[in-house]
Amino acid sequence: LLSGIVLLQGENSRDSKESKLLKIESEKIFTVLNNSKTPYLESYPGQVWPCDTFPAIFSLAVYDKVYGNTYKDFILKWLEKVKMRLACRWG
């Protein structure tokens, strides 16, 4: 939600508190996903629901759209991990 708010505000009317919060939250999302054994965040103890992670990735993509390509390489690697897991499961 925060990434959408910042995106919709536009460059000239962006709230600095929300921008700072988006940066902090994006770093948290990146750190947790980057340290995860799977490309998915744990939704419940010991369980993952892949669809729960997509809003987090979308938020990183919005951050990149607004502020530059900080997470681009990570997102591309994450997508490859997801594709590999799908290929192993269905291929």
Side-chain angles (χ1 to χ4, degrees):
L1 180 60
L2 178 61
S3 61
I5 290 169
V6 171
L7 181 64
L8 290 174
Q9 285 176 340
E11 188 174 345
N12 297 328
S13 61
R14 208 163 274 138
D15 183 286
S16 64
K17 289 179 187 176
E18 289 171 339
S19 294
K20 287 178 187 176
L21 184 57
L22 179 60
K23 180 176 176 154
I24 291 166
E25 295 301 317
S26 295
E27 289 173 3
K28 288 179 185 178
I29 291 168
F30 167 76
T31 299
V32 171
L33 280 168
N34 197 42
N35 293 324
S36 178
K37 293 177 184 175
T38 74
Y40 310 116
L41 299 174
E42 192 173 85
S43 300
Y44 301 100
Q47 298 180 14
V48 298
W49 295 94
C51 61
D52 289 351
T53 304
F54 285 91
I57 294 298
F58 175 76
S59 183
L60 294 179
V62 168
Y63 182 92
D64 278 3
K65 181 172 179 59
V66 173
Y67 299 110
N69 291 324
T70 303
Y71 300 108
K72 180 182 177 183
D73 291 339
F74 173 77
I75 293 169
L76 292 172
K77 288 177 189 172
W78 182 86
L79 287 168
E80 284 304 315
K81 288 180 185 178
V82 170
K83 288 177 187 176
M84 295 271 290
R85 291 178 77 86
L86 287 171
C88 290
R89 186 172 188 140
W90 304 107

